[in-house]
Amino acid sequence: MRERQLALAMVRVTIEREECTSCALCWETCPEVFEEGPDGFAQIMEEYQTDGPEAGKVPGEMKECAVDAADGCPVEIIKVGE
């Protein structure tokens, strides 16, 4: 039951897009959450955006993937939290 509750919880993800170097690491590491925007910078997948391309909420089961991308970001601009 606890696992199901975690899977249903939404996790907030943000990107400081103005600092993005377009290295592609986030969208290659976690394409379920991140994608390359039309301007070449990282953005949250459109279906999960809540405040434009820089912020969104993703299903809890995607949290680990998003954290992996955040941990690998060379400029540390991705934040993942509840």
Side-chain angles (χ1 to χ4, degrees), residues 9-69:
M10 298 298 279
V11 177
R12 184 156 175 80
V13 180
T14 59
I15 306 171
E16 295 172 40
R17 295 184 79 237
E18 64 278 357
E19 302 296 323
C20 181
T21 61
S22 300
C23 72
L25 192 138
C26 64
W27 64 77
E28 289 176 357
T29 301
C30 189
E32 300 88 351
V33 175
F34 304 99
E35 65 184 352
E36 181 178 10
D39 57 3
F41 298 118
Q43 67 179 34
I44 307 296
M45 293 288 290
E46 190 172 331
E47 66 189 281
Y48 300 119
Q49 292 179 14
T50 56
D51 299 312
E54 66 277 344
K57 289 190 176 182
V58 300
E61 64 265 14
M62 294 182 181
K63 182 178 181 178
E64 187 174 331
C65 178
V67 168
D68 287 346

